[in-house]
PDB file of all heavy atoms in Angstrom:
ATOM      1  N   ASN A  10       0.856  -1.197   0.007  1.00  0.00           N
ATOM      2  CA  ASN A  10      -0.011   0.022  -0.017  1.00  0.00           C
ATOM      3  C   ASN A  10       0.907   1.233   0.005  1.00  0.00           C
ATOM      4  O   ASN A  10       1.821   1.356   0.770  1.00  0.00           O
ATOM      5  CB  ASN A  10      -0.894  -0.044   1.254  1.00  0.00           C
ATOM      6  CG  ASN A  10      -1.779   1.186   1.347  1.00  0.00           C
ATOM      7  OD1 ASN A  10      -1.364   2.228   1.889  1.00  0.00           O
ATOM      8  ND2 ASN A  10      -3.023   1.061   0.889  1.00  0.00           N
ATOM      9  N   SER A  11       0.573   2.204  -0.874  1.00  0.00           N
ATOM     10  CA  SER A  11       1.387   3.371  -1.034  1.00  0.00           C
ATOM     11  C   SER A  11       1.521   4.246   0.236  1.00  0.00           C
ATOM     12  O   SER A  11       2.543   4.790   0.565  1.00  0.00           O
ATOM     13  CB  SER A  11       0.904   4.233  -2.177  1.00  0.00           C
ATOM     14  OG  SER A  11      -0.438   4.671  -1.920  1.00  0.00           O
ATOM     15  N   LYS A  12       0.428   4.314   1.021  1.00  0.00           N
ATOM     16  CA  LYS A  12       0.452   5.114   2.254  1.00  0.00           C
ATOM     17  C   LYS A  12       1.377   4.468   3.283  1.00  0.00           C
ATOM     18  O   LYS A  12       2.095   5.199   3.993  1.00  0.00           O
ATOM     19  CB  LYS A  12      -0.936   5.246   2.811  1.00  0.00           C
ATOM     20  CG  LYS A  12      -1.877   6.106   1.989  1.00  0.00           C
ATOM     21  CD  LYS A  12      -3.262   6.270   2.612  1.00  0.00           C
ATOM     22  CE  LYS A  12      -4.156   7.161   1.811  1.00  0.00           C
ATOM     23  NZ  LYS A  12      -5.541   7.346   2.397  1.00  0.00           N
ATOM     24  N   VAL A  13       1.359   3.184   3.388  1.00  0.00           N
ATOM     25  CA  VAL A  13       2.247   2.484   4.327  1.00  0.00           C
ATOM     26  C   VAL A  13       3.710   2.591   3.883  1.00  0.00           C
ATOM     27  O   VAL A  13       4.594   2.811   4.682  1.00  0.00           O
ATOM     28  CB  VAL A  13       1.825   0.986   4.508  1.00  0.00           C
ATOM     29  CG1 VAL A  13       2.805   0.289   5.427  1.00  0.00           C
ATOM     30  CG2 VAL A  13       0.418   0.867   5.014  1.00  0.00           C
ATOM     31  N   VAL A  14       3.921   2.495   2.580  1.00  0.00           N
ATOM     32  CA  VAL A  14       5.262   2.694   2.036  1.00  0.00           C
ATOM     33  C   VAL A  14       5.778   4.053   2.415  1.00  0.00           C
ATOM     34  O   VAL A  14       6.952   4.185   2.813  1.00  0.00           O
ATOM     35  CB  VAL A  14       5.259   2.458   0.486  1.00  0.00           C
ATOM     36  CG1 VAL A  14       6.584   2.965  -0.097  1.00  0.00           C
ATOM     37  CG2 VAL A  14       5.036   1.006   0.166  1.00  0.00           C
ATOM     38  N   GLU A  15       4.965   5.096   2.243  1.00  0.00           N
ATOM     39  CA  GLU A  15       5.406   6.448   2.580  1.00  0.00           C
ATOM     40  C   GLU A  15       5.696   6.568   4.084  1.00  0.00           C
ATOM     41  O   GLU A  15       6.611   7.295   4.459  1.00  0.00           O
ATOM     42  CB  GLU A  15       4.309   7.439   2.192  1.00  0.00           C
ATOM     43  CG  GLU A  15       4.235   7.692   0.685  1.00  0.00           C
ATOM     44  CD  GLU A  15       5.566   8.167   0.150  1.00  0.00           C
ATOM     45  OE1 GLU A  15       6.170   9.159   0.683  1.00  0.00           O
ATOM     46  OE2 GLU A  15       6.004   7.550  -0.862  1.00  0.00           O
ATOM     47  N   MET A  16       4.913   5.859   4.896  1.00  0.00           N
ATOM     48  CA  MET A  16       5.199   5.902   6.349  1.00  0.00           C
ATOM     49  C   MET A  16       6.549   5.324   6.630  1.00  0.00           C
ATOM     50  O   MET A  16       7.335   5.858   7.426  1.00  0.00           O
ATOM     51  CB  MET A  16       4.084   5.104   7.082  1.00  0.00           C
ATOM     52  CG  MET A  16       4.183   5.139   8.575  1.00  0.00           C
ATOM     53  SD  MET A  16       2.996   3.992   9.403  1.00  0.00           S
ATOM     54  CE  MET A  16       1.481   4.534   8.656  1.00  0.00           C
ATOM     55  N   PHE A  17       6.907   4.225   5.979  1.00  0.00           N
ATOM     56  CA  PHE A  17       8.230   3.598   6.152  1.00  0.00           C
ATOM     57  C   PHE A  17       9.309   4.528   5.727  1.00  0.00           C
ATOM     58  O   PHE A  17      10.362   4.699   6.388  1.00  0.00           O
ATOM     59  CB  PHE A  17       8.302   2.307   5.369  1.00  0.00           C
ATOM     60  CG  PHE A  17       7.832   1.090   6.094  1.00  0.00           C
ATOM     61  CD1 PHE A  17       6.512   0.961   6.510  1.00  0.00           C
ATOM     62  CD2 PHE A  17       8.685   0.058   6.408  1.00  0.00           C
ATOM     63  CE1 PHE A  17       6.052  -0.137   7.211  1.00  0.00           C
ATOM     64  CE2 PHE A  17       8.280  -1.115   7.060  1.00  0.00           C
ATOM     65  CZ  PHE A  17       6.940  -1.208   7.480  1.00  0.00           C
ATOM     66  N   LYS A  18       9.111   5.222   4.569  1.00  0.00           N
ATOM     67  CA  LYS A  18      10.183   6.121   4.062  1.00  0.00           C
ATOM     68  C   LYS A  18      10.292   7.377   4.938  1.00  0.00           C
ATOM     69  O   LYS A  18      11.380   7.921   5.078  1.00  0.00           O
ATOM     70  CB  LYS A  18       9.819   6.490   2.636  1.00  0.00           C
ATOM     71  CG  LYS A  18       9.998   5.329   1.657  1.00  0.00           C
ATOM     72  CD  LYS A  18      10.014   5.783   0.188  1.00  0.00           C
ATOM     73  CE  LYS A  18       8.657   6.180  -0.288  1.00  0.00           C
ATOM     74  NZ  LYS A  18       8.650   6.394  -1.748  1.00  0.00           N
ATOM     75  N   ASN A  19       9.173   7.811   5.541  1.00  0.00           N
ATOM     76  CA  ASN A  19       9.248   8.998   6.354  1.00  0.00           C
ATOM     77  C   ASN A  19       9.811   8.789   7.768  1.00  0.00           C
ATOM     78  O   ASN A  19      10.235   9.693   8.448  1.00  0.00           O
ATOM     79  CB  ASN A  19       7.832   9.618   6.493  1.00  0.00           C
ATOM     80  CG  ASN A  19       7.345  10.228   5.220  1.00  0.00           C
ATOM     81  OD1 ASN A  19       8.103  10.613   4.346  1.00  0.00           O
ATOM     82  ND2 ASN A  19       6.019  10.270   5.076  1.00  0.00           N
ATOM     83  N   TYR A  20       9.814   7.490   8.194  1.00  0.00           N
ATOM     84  CA  TYR A  20      10.310   7.151   9.516  1.00  0.00           C
ATOM     85  C   TYR A  20      11.299   5.984   9.431  1.00  0.00           C
ATOM     86  O   TYR A  20      11.134   4.916  10.008  1.00  0.00           O
ATOM     87  CB  TYR A  20       9.111   6.742  10.439  1.00  0.00           C
ATOM     88  CG  TYR A  20       8.180   7.865  10.713  1.00  0.00           C
ATOM     89  CD1 TYR A  20       7.077   8.087   9.880  1.00  0.00           C
ATOM     90  CD2 TYR A  20       8.396   8.767  11.755  1.00  0.00           C
ATOM     91  CE1 TYR A  20       6.167   9.136  10.137  1.00  0.00           C
ATOM     92  CE2 TYR A  20       7.516   9.784  12.057  1.00  0.00           C
ATOM     93  CZ  TYR A  20       6.429   9.983  11.197  1.00  0.00           C
ATOM     94  OH  TYR A  20       5.523  11.055  11.442  1.00  0.00           O
ATOM     95  N   PRO A  21      12.434   6.235   8.764  1.00  0.00           N
ATOM     96  CA  PRO A  21      13.463   5.164   8.589  1.00  0.00           C
ATOM     97  C   PRO A  21      14.104   4.755   9.882  1.00  0.00           C
ATOM     98  O   PRO A  21      14.658   3.646   9.949  1.00  0.00           O
ATOM     99  CB  PRO A  21      14.461   5.803   7.623  1.00  0.00           C
ATOM    100  CG  PRO A  21      14.330   7.285   7.852  1.00  0.00           C
ATOM    101  CD  PRO A  21      12.887   7.542   8.139  1.00  0.00           C
ATOM    102  N   ALA A  22      14.083   5.596  10.898  1.00  0.00           N
ATOM    103  CA  ALA A  22      14.682   5.206  12.239  1.00  0.00           C
ATOM    104  C   ALA A  22      13.756   4.306  13.018  1.00  0.00           C
ATOM    105  O   ALA A  22      14.176   3.660  13.967  1.00  0.00           O
ATOM    106  CB  ALA A  22      15.020   6.456  13.037  1.00  0.00           C
ATOM    107  N   ARG A  23      12.478   4.218  12.556  1.00  0.00           N
ATOM    108  CA  ARG A  23      11.514   3.353  13.280  1.00  0.00           C
ATOM    109  C   ARG A  23      11.221   2.112  12.469  1.00  0.00           C
ATOM    110  O   ARG A  23      11.179   1.000  13.041  1.00  0.00           O
ATOM    111  CB  ARG A  23      10.209   4.128  13.472  1.00  0.00           C
ATOM    112  CG  ARG A  23      10.352   5.384  14.369  1.00  0.00           C
ATOM    113  CD  ARG A  23      10.856   5.015  15.736  1.00  0.00           C
ATOM    114  NE  ARG A  23      10.951   6.186  16.610  1.00  0.00           N
ATOM    115  CZ  ARG A  23      11.563   6.206  17.806  1.00  0.00           C
ATOM    116  NH1 ARG A  23      12.141   5.101  18.257  1.00  0.00           N
ATOM    117  NH2 ARG A  23      11.648   7.306  18.494  1.00  0.00           N
ATOM    118  N   TYR A  24      10.990   2.238  11.172  1.00  0.00           N
ATOM    119  CA  TYR A  24      10.587   1.081  10.335  1.00  0.00           C
ATOM    120  C   TYR A  24      11.687   0.674   9.393  1.00  0.00           C
ATOM    121  O   TYR A  24      12.372   1.523   8.770  1.00  0.00           O
ATOM    122  CB  TYR A  24       9.341   1.433   9.493  1.00  0.00           C
ATOM    123  CG  TYR A  24       8.016   1.221  10.250  1.00  0.00           C
ATOM    124  CD1 TYR A  24       7.103   2.241  10.312  1.00  0.00           C
ATOM    125  CD2 TYR A  24       7.709  -0.030  10.771  1.00  0.00           C
ATOM    126  CE1 TYR A  24       5.868   2.060  10.951  1.00  0.00           C
ATOM    127  CE2 TYR A  24       6.479  -0.222  11.386  1.00  0.00           C
ATOM    128  CZ  TYR A  24       5.565   0.829  11.500  1.00  0.00           C
ATOM    129  OH  TYR A  24       4.373   0.640  12.136  1.00  0.00           O
ATOM    130  N   SER A  25      11.899  -0.641   9.257  1.00  0.00           N
ATOM    131  CA  SER A  25      12.814  -1.161   8.301  1.00  0.00           C
ATOM    132  C   SER A  25      12.219  -2.445   7.711  1.00  0.00           C
ATOM    133  O   SER A  25      11.333  -3.031   8.285  1.00  0.00           O
ATOM    134  CB  SER A  25      14.228  -1.406   8.868  1.00  0.00           C
ATOM    135  OG  SER A  25      14.135  -2.342   9.946  1.00  0.00           O
ATOM    136  N   LEU A  26      12.833  -2.883   6.582  1.00  0.00           N
ATOM    137  CA  LEU A  26      12.314  -4.007   5.853  1.00  0.00           C
ATOM    138  C   LEU A  26      13.413  -5.012   5.590  1.00  0.00           C
ATOM    139  O   LEU A  26      14.507  -4.643   5.237  1.00  0.00           O
ATOM    140  CB  LEU A  26      11.741  -3.518   4.537  1.00  0.00           C
ATOM    141  CG  LEU A  26      10.608  -4.273   3.835  1.00  0.00           C
ATOM    142  CD1 LEU A  26       9.346  -4.320   4.722  1.00  0.00           C
ATOM    143  CD2 LEU A  26      10.268  -3.624   2.514  1.00  0.00           C
ATOM    144  N   SER A  27      13.124  -6.293   5.829  1.00  0.00           N
ATOM    145  CA  SER A  27      14.093  -7.366   5.509  1.00  0.00           C
ATOM    146  C   SER A  27      13.333  -8.443   4.695  1.00  0.00           C
ATOM    147  O   SER A  27      12.126  -8.325   4.480  1.00  0.00           O
ATOM    148  CB  SER A  27      14.743  -7.967   6.744  1.00  0.00           C
ATOM    149  OG  SER A  27      13.746  -8.493   7.620  1.00  0.00           O
ATOM    150  N   MET A  28      14.062  -9.466   4.271  1.00  0.00           N
ATOM    151  CA  MET A  28      13.450 -10.511   3.441  1.00  0.00           C
ATOM    152  C   MET A  28      13.024 -11.680   4.319  1.00  0.00           C
ATOM    153  O   MET A  28      13.720 -12.049   5.248  1.00  0.00           O
ATOM    154  CB  MET A  28      14.480 -11.005   2.408  1.00  0.00           C
ATOM    155  CG  MET A  28      14.859 -10.005   1.355  1.00  0.00           C
ATOM    156  SD  MET A  28      16.106 -10.611   0.211  1.00  0.00           S
ATOM    157  CE  MET A  28      17.582 -10.391   1.214  1.00  0.00           C
ATOM    158  N   HIS A  29      11.897 -12.238   3.976  1.00  0.00           N
ATOM    159  CA  HIS A  29      11.359 -13.382   4.701  1.00  0.00           C
ATOM    160  C   HIS A  29      11.010 -14.498   3.742  1.00  0.00           C
ATOM    161  O   HIS A  29       9.830 -14.696   3.332  1.00  0.00           O
ATOM    162  CB  HIS A  29      10.140 -12.996   5.498  1.00  0.00           C
ATOM    163  CG  HIS A  29       9.624 -14.033   6.464  1.00  0.00           C
ATOM    164  ND1 HIS A  29      10.432 -14.751   7.298  1.00  0.00           N
ATOM    165  CD2 HIS A  29       8.386 -14.459   6.723  1.00  0.00           C
ATOM    166  CE1 HIS A  29       9.692 -15.572   8.045  1.00  0.00           C
ATOM    167  NE2 HIS A  29       8.439 -15.399   7.679  1.00  0.00           N
ATOM    168  N   GLY A  30      12.063 -15.192   3.314  1.00  0.00           N
ATOM    169  CA  GLY A  30      11.857 -16.231   2.328  1.00  0.00           C
ATOM    170  C   GLY A  30      11.584 -15.622   0.970  1.00  0.00           C
ATOM    171  O   GLY A  30      11.731 -14.429   0.736  1.00  0.00           O
ATOM    172  N   SER A  31      11.158 -16.514   0.035  1.00  0.00           N
ATOM    173  CA  SER A  31      10.860 -16.066  -1.311  1.00  0.00           C
ATOM    174  C   SER A  31       9.343 -16.309  -1.555  1.00  0.00           C
ATOM    175  O   SER A  31       8.551 -15.361  -1.660  1.00  0.00           O
ATOM    176  CB  SER A  31      11.686 -16.793  -2.357  1.00  0.00           C
ATOM    177  OG  SER A  31      11.445 -16.270  -3.660  1.00  0.00           O
ATOM    178  N   ASP A  32       8.934 -17.554  -1.639  1.00  0.00           N
ATOM    179  CA  ASP A  32       7.524 -17.907  -1.763  1.00  0.00           C
ATOM    180  C   ASP A  32       6.863 -18.104  -0.406  1.00  0.00           C
ATOM    181  O   ASP A  32       5.628 -18.105  -0.325  1.00  0.00           O
ATOM    182  CB  ASP A  32       7.349 -19.169  -2.633  1.00  0.00           C
ATOM    183  CG  ASP A  32       7.719 -18.959  -4.066  1.00  0.00           C
ATOM    184  OD1 ASP A  32       7.529 -17.825  -4.547  1.00  0.00           O
ATOM    185  OD2 ASP A  32       8.245 -19.886  -4.680  1.00  0.00           O
ATOM    186  N   HIS A  33       7.700 -18.385   0.631  1.00  0.00           N
ATOM    187  CA  HIS A  33       7.198 -18.633   1.973  1.00  0.00           C
ATOM    188  C   HIS A  33       6.345 -19.934   1.983  1.00  0.00           C
ATOM    189  O   HIS A  33       5.238 -19.948   2.557  1.00  0.00           O
ATOM    190  CB  HIS A  33       6.425 -17.519   2.567  1.00  0.00           C
ATOM    191  CG  HIS A  33       6.271 -17.548   4.054  1.00  0.00           C
ATOM    192  ND1 HIS A  33       5.279 -18.268   4.638  1.00  0.00           N
ATOM    193  CD2 HIS A  33       6.986 -16.982   5.074  1.00  0.00           C
ATOM    194  CE1 HIS A  33       5.373 -18.161   5.997  1.00  0.00           C
ATOM    195  NE2 HIS A  33       6.381 -17.349   6.248  1.00  0.00           N
ATOM    196  N   THR A  34       6.844 -20.942   1.334  1.00  0.00           N
ATOM    197  CA  THR A  34       6.116 -22.227   1.356  1.00  0.00           C
ATOM    198  C   THR A  34       6.779 -23.145   2.394  1.00  0.00           C
ATOM    199  O   THR A  34       7.878 -22.887   2.904  1.00  0.00           O
ATOM    200  CB  THR A  34       6.206 -22.894  -0.054  1.00  0.00           C
ATOM    201  OG1 THR A  34       7.614 -23.015  -0.409  1.00  0.00           O
ATOM    202  CG2 THR A  34       5.466 -22.064  -1.083  1.00  0.00           C
ATOM    203  N   GLY A  35       6.096 -24.225   2.722  1.00  0.00           N
ATOM    204  CA  GLY A  35       6.542 -25.184   3.696  1.00  0.00           C
ATOM    205  C   GLY A  35       7.888 -25.791   3.339  1.00  0.00           C
ATOM    206  O   GLY A  35       8.036 -26.280   2.268  1.00  0.00           O
ATOM    207  N   GLY A  36       8.864 -25.697   4.274  1.00  0.00           N
ATOM    208  CA  GLY A  36      10.208 -26.261   4.003  1.00  0.00           C
ATOM    209  C   GLY A  36      10.902 -25.625   2.862  1.00  0.00           C
ATOM    210  O   GLY A  36      11.741 -26.269   2.171  1.00  0.00           O
ATOM    211  N   GLU A  37      10.623 -24.346   2.634  1.00  0.00           N
ATOM    212  CA  GLU A  37      11.165 -23.668   1.418  1.00  0.00           C
ATOM    213  C   GLU A  37      12.725 -23.761   1.357  1.00  0.00           C
ATOM    214  O   GLU A  37      13.299 -23.954   0.271  1.00  0.00           O
ATOM    215  CB  GLU A  37      10.725 -22.227   1.405  1.00  0.00           C
ATOM    216  CG  GLU A  37      11.185 -21.468   0.197  1.00  0.00           C
ATOM    217  CD  GLU A  37      10.653 -20.068   0.133  1.00  0.00           C
ATOM    218  OE1 GLU A  37      10.310 -19.495   1.218  1.00  0.00           O
ATOM    219  OE2 GLU A  37      10.551 -19.478  -0.929  1.00  0.00           O
ATOM    220  N   PHE A  38      13.360 -23.631   2.509  1.00  0.00           N
ATOM    221  CA  PHE A  38      14.833 -23.683   2.533  1.00  0.00           C
ATOM    222  C   PHE A  38      15.295 -24.934   3.261  1.00  0.00           C
ATOM    223  O   PHE A  38      16.450 -24.996   3.687  1.00  0.00           O
ATOM    224  CB  PHE A  38      15.399 -22.434   3.202  1.00  0.00           C
ATOM    225  CG  PHE A  38      15.295 -21.188   2.366  1.00  0.00           C
ATOM    226  CD1 PHE A  38      14.140 -20.416   2.368  1.00  0.00           C
ATOM    227  CD2 PHE A  38      16.342 -20.795   1.553  1.00  0.00           C
ATOM    228  CE1 PHE A  38      14.072 -19.249   1.592  1.00  0.00           C
ATOM    229  CE2 PHE A  38      16.264 -19.642   0.745  1.00  0.00           C
ATOM    230  CZ  PHE A  38      15.101 -18.930   0.779  1.00  0.00           C
ATOM    231  N   GLY A  39      14.450 -25.940   3.325  1.00  0.00           N
ATOM    232  CA  GLY A  39      14.751 -27.177   4.030  1.00  0.00           C
ATOM    233  C   GLY A  39      15.443 -28.203   3.100  1.00  0.00           C
ATOM    234  O   GLY A  39      14.981 -29.312   2.929  1.00  0.00           O
ATOM    235  N   THR A  40      16.565 -27.798   2.506  1.00  0.00           N
ATOM    236  CA  THR A  40      17.322 -28.732   1.625  1.00  0.00           C
ATOM    237  C   THR A  40      18.777 -28.422   1.806  1.00  0.00           C
ATOM    238  O   THR A  40      19.189 -27.328   2.219  1.00  0.00           O
ATOM    239  CB  THR A  40      16.912 -28.526   0.138  1.00  0.00           C
ATOM    240  OG1 THR A  40      17.740 -29.374  -0.675  1.00  0.00           O
ATOM    241  CG2 THR A  40      17.115 -27.080  -0.315  1.00  0.00           C
ATOM    242  N   LEU A  41      19.630 -29.424   1.509  1.00  0.00           N
ATOM    243  CA  LEU A  41      21.058 -29.244   1.564  1.00  0.00           C
ATOM    244  C   LEU A  41      21.659 -28.988   0.172  1.00  0.00           C
ATOM    245  O   LEU A  41      22.855 -28.923   0.022  1.00  0.00           O
ATOM    246  CB  LEU A  41      21.727 -30.489   2.206  1.00  0.00           C
ATOM    247  CG  LEU A  41      21.354 -30.753   3.654  1.00  0.00           C
ATOM    248  CD1 LEU A  41      22.051 -32.020   4.167  1.00  0.00           C
ATOM    249  CD2 LEU A  41      21.715 -29.616   4.545  1.00  0.00           C
ATOM    250  N   ASP A  42      20.748 -28.922  -0.835  1.00  0.00           N
ATOM    251  CA  ASP A  42      21.200 -28.711  -2.220  1.00  0.00           C
ATOM    252  C   ASP A  42      21.592 -27.255  -2.361  1.00  0.00           C
ATOM    253  O   ASP A  42      20.753 -26.336  -2.340  1.00  0.00           O
ATOM    254  CB  ASP A  42      20.069 -29.052  -3.189  1.00  0.00           C
ATOM    255  CG  ASP A  42      20.543 -29.081  -4.644  1.00  0.00           C
ATOM    256  OD1 ASP A  42      21.329 -28.144  -5.012  1.00  0.00           O
ATOM    257  OD2 ASP A  42      20.131 -29.932  -5.393  1.00  0.00           O
ATOM    258  N   MET A  43      22.910 -26.977  -2.474  1.00  0.00           N
ATOM    259  CA  MET A  43      23.380 -25.588  -2.540  1.00  0.00           C
ATOM    260  C   MET A  43      22.880 -24.839  -3.750  1.00  0.00           C
ATOM    261  O   MET A  43      22.626 -23.623  -3.649  1.00  0.00           O
ATOM    262  CB  MET A  43      24.899 -25.597  -2.498  1.00  0.00           C
ATOM    263  CG  MET A  43      25.523 -26.193  -1.237  1.00  0.00           C
ATOM    264  SD  MET A  43      24.979 -25.304   0.239  1.00  0.00           S
ATOM    265  CE  MET A  43      25.766 -23.701   0.025  1.00  0.00           C
ATOM    266  N   GLU A  44      22.680 -25.522  -4.829  1.00  0.00           N
ATOM    267  CA  GLU A  44      22.189 -24.841  -6.037  1.00  0.00           C
ATOM    268  C   GLU A  44      20.744 -24.373  -5.887  1.00  0.00           C
ATOM    269  O   GLU A  44      20.363 -23.254  -6.249  1.00  0.00           O
ATOM    270  CB  GLU A  44      22.280 -25.738  -7.243  1.00  0.00           C
ATOM    271  CG  GLU A  44      23.715 -26.011  -7.740  1.00  0.00           C
ATOM    272  CD  GLU A  44      23.778 -26.793  -9.035  1.00  0.00           C
ATOM    273  OE1 GLU A  44      22.655 -27.054  -9.590  1.00  0.00           O
ATOM    274  OE2 GLU A  44      24.897 -27.077  -9.491  1.00  0.00           O
ATOM    275  N   VAL A  45      19.921 -25.221  -5.227  1.00  0.00           N
ATOM    276  CA  VAL A  45      18.533 -24.875  -4.965  1.00  0.00           C
ATOM    277  C   VAL A  45      18.479 -23.715  -3.982  1.00  0.00           C
ATOM    278  O   VAL A  45      17.705 -22.726  -4.172  1.00  0.00           O
ATOM    279  CB  VAL A  45      17.761 -26.068  -4.422  1.00  0.00           C
ATOM    280  CG1 VAL A  45      16.369 -25.640  -3.948  1.00  0.00           C
ATOM    281  CG2 VAL A  45      17.658 -27.170  -5.461  1.00  0.00           C
ATOM    282  N   LEU A  46      19.304 -23.741  -2.920  1.00  0.00           N
ATOM    283  CA  LEU A  46      19.324 -22.679  -1.915  1.00  0.00           C
ATOM    284  C   LEU A  46      19.750 -21.379  -2.525  1.00  0.00           C
ATOM    285  O   LEU A  46      19.149 -20.329  -2.295  1.00  0.00           O
ATOM    286  CB  LEU A  46      20.231 -23.081  -0.765  1.00  0.00           C
ATOM    287  CG  LEU A  46      19.754 -24.224   0.119  1.00  0.00           C
ATOM    288  CD1 LEU A  46      20.871 -24.585   1.165  1.00  0.00           C
ATOM    289  CD2 LEU A  46      18.510 -23.854   0.891  1.00  0.00           C
TER     290      LEU A  46
END
C-alpha cells in the first residue's frame, strides 16, 4: 500500500524491511542442495 510505504520512508529510524523467504512455502529452505538454496 502506497500510504504504508510512505510511512516507512518518512520514519526510517523506526521502520525497516528485510526478506522473509521467497515464496514462503513449507520447508522452502529445508534442503542441503546448494544450487537450490
Side-chain angles (χ1 to χ4, degrees):
N10 178 275
S11 60
K12 292 183 178 179
V13 177
V14 167
E15 286 304 309
M16 186 187 304
F17 272 63
K18 290 194 287 188
N19 291 334
Y20 294 92
R23 299 299 181 192
Y24 274 125
S25 61
L26 209 62
S27 60
M28 294 178 281
H29 188 46
S31 185
D32 292 327
H33 197 277
T34 55
E37 183 176 24
F38 287 86
T40 177
L41 297 179
D42 189 320
M43 297 301 293
E44 290 187 2
V45 173
L46 292 173

